[in-house]
Amino acid sequence: MTMAAASVTAPWLLRRALQALAFSPPLYPINKKLSFYGNLCSFPVQNPLRSSGLCHIAQVVKGDDDVLLRGLGDRSAIAEVKHILEMARRAAIRREVYHTDFLTPPVLKESMLVLEKLADVKAVAQGGYPQAERCRISIGHSEVLTSDPDVVAALNIAGNFSFQPCSHGDFLGAILGKGIAREKLGDINLQGEKGAHILIVPELVDFLMSTLDKVANVSVSCTQIPLHALEYEPPRTQSFKTVEASLRVDALGSAGFKISRSKLVNLISNGDVRVNWATVTKNGTTLKTGDIVSVSGKGRLKIGEINTTRKGKFAVELIRYL
């Protein structure tokens, strides 16, 4: 009777021991790079002596997002970076490649910093040329994403702008007026009297070529060009200084764009003012050196060096993009 009980108990104890071993924490040091996979040891209970391998099970590690986002520099980018992390999770599990739309510089920077911490995915940022400001990120498992995907196309918008020069905002407004979302469009590089080169998602090339016929009052034609034919140069800027009582966006913005403070306040109320590509909702938002202020239809402004005067005011360098 005792021997029979022992013969029943031994396999049961063996199974429990093996299960405990299978799901116990790893004894090796944890890699600083986080993985979207959890490694669980799996032993066939029927014949444990013949087991010699590990089973790699796709299991999303809960809580990784909080760890990855903890050091995020631009908190306004959290929602978009989380969405990109979700894309990375799907890419790692399904071993597929996904592409974002064109991202603003803050979101691009924060996303790449976060994606670099992952062991299972590779991320490639492309904007069409080396100095591109707005870029798309391609995300895939490191064994699948082995080359740069073809996710950016270039168009030449040509016309006679000799008598009516058009700004960045004119070209942007004409394109958005066709119903194209801003995130489907990359950089716009002005070509003086000849027009502009633009970057766009490939799937909208044919649509824009067939529908865009005017920028402001100038008739234009659109043709696709290879990326190596892009012509770009550093943006033209104009610097000047202003002395203000505060560093509020309504104060510096009105001085930089040469409009009244009340008018800028109205633009803020309408959602037409952005700081570092994020819409501003408060007139009292404080600016600092390096911030980019954008106003719909008026262009962009960069905050340069800031010094305090003897009277306690602020002498601010303003850099206007032309």
Side-chain angles (χ1 to χ4, degrees):
M1 185 74 176
T2 304
M3 291 182 62
S7 64
V8 173
T9 305
W12 180 82
L13 289 174
L14 179 60
R15 284 197 296 270
R16 292 298 299 270
L18 288 171
Q19 288 171 356
L21 175 62
F23 294 97
S24 61
L27 299 179
Y28 48 81
I30 297 176
N31 193 311
K32 290 184 179 179
K33 283 198 170 188
L34 296 176
S35 171
F36 281 131
Y37 296 108
N39 286 328
L40 302 182
C41 299
S42 177
F43 298 93
V45 175
Q46 294 84 351
N47 193 352
L49 296 178
R50 295 175 62 182
S51 175
S52 61
L54 296 176
C55 180
H56 197 63
I57 300 176
Q59 177 184 12
V60 176
V61 180
K62 296 181 179 179
D64 274 1
D65 285 5
D66 293 336
V67 175
L68 292 167
L69 297 172
R70 191 173 297 160
L72 205 66
D74 190 333
R75 307 304 293 178
S76 64
I78 287 181
E80 291 184 79
V81 175
K82 276 188 174 181
H83 175 68
I84 292 170
L85 272 176
E86 180 58 33
M87 292 177 65
R89 177 180 286 109
R90 294 199 305 271
I93 293 174
R94 300 177 184 177
R95 289 178 173 261
E96 296 177 347
V97 177
Y98 295 94
H99 314 289
T100 70
D101 287 325
F102 284 98
L103 305 174
T104 61
V107 175
L108 175 66
K109 175 184 175 183
E110 299 294 352
S111 298
M112 292 301 289
L113 288 174
V114 168
L115 293 172
E116 286 175 359
K117 300 175 184 177
L118 302 179
D120 300 316
V121 297
K122 177 182 177 182
V124 177
Q126 298 181 87
Y129 63 104
Q131 289 80 21
E133 190 173 80
R134 297 172 64 87
C135 294
R136 302 183 72 183
I137 299 179
S138 298
I139 308 166
H141 191 280
S142 54
E143 296 177 1
V144 177
L145 185 57
T146 57
S147 60
D148 294 350
D150 185 14
V151 294
V152 180
L155 287 177
N156 176 39
I157 302 178
N160 185 2
F161 294 91
S162 302
F163 302 103
Q164 187 179 348
C166 286
S167 66
H168 180 282
D170 291 326
F171 283 93
L172 177 60
I175 296 169
L176 299 186
K178 297 301 177 182
I180 294 177
R182 182 64 180 97
E183 58 268 21
K184 301 297 182 181
L185 188 65
D187 287 2
I188 298 175
N189 295 321
L190 301 181
Q191 303 297 308
E193 298 178 354
K194 297 183 293 183
H197 289 170
I198 70 165
L199 287 306
I200 193 169
V201 294
E203 54 267 29
L204 290 177
V205 166
D206 291 339
F207 171 77
L208 197 59
M209 286 196 301
S210 63
T211 59
L212 186 64
D213 56 2
K214 272 194 173 184
V215 173
N217 294 320
V218 179
S219 296
V220 299
S221 62
C222 292
T223 55
Q224 186 172 4
I225 59 175
L227 294 178
H228 64 76
L230 283 169
E231 296 179 13
Y232 51 91
E233 58 184 22
R236 293 181 299 116
T237 60
Q238 179 184 20
S239 300
F240 54 95
K241 290 189 177 181
T242 183
V243 177
E244 303 293 336
S246 74
L247 297 175
R248 290 164 52 118
V249 64
D250 54 356
L252 297 184
S254 61
F257 292 106
K258 310 288 186 186
I259 58 177
S260 68
R261 193 160 176 170
S262 60
K263 186 171 184 179
L264 189 71
V265 168
N266 290 334
L267 290 169
I268 292 174
S269 301
N270 294 333
D272 292 327
V273 178
R274 294 169 295 281
V275 174
N276 298 330
W277 292 270
T279 301
V280 173
T281 58
K282 297 180 180 179
N283 307 337
T285 300
T286 301
L287 301 179
K288 63 184 182 302
T289 297
D291 283 347
I292 302 289
V293 182
S294 308
V295 176
S296 298
K298 297 191 177 296
R300 291 186 296 170
L301 179 76
K302 184 176 182 179
I303 308 302
E305 186 179 359
I306 300 175
N307 293 302
T308 305
T309 68
R310 292 180 180 178
K311 295 184 179 181
K313 294 188 176 183
F314 299 96
V316 184
E317 178 190 21
L318 300 177
I319 306 167
R320 181 80 179 270
Y321 289 86
L322 304 177

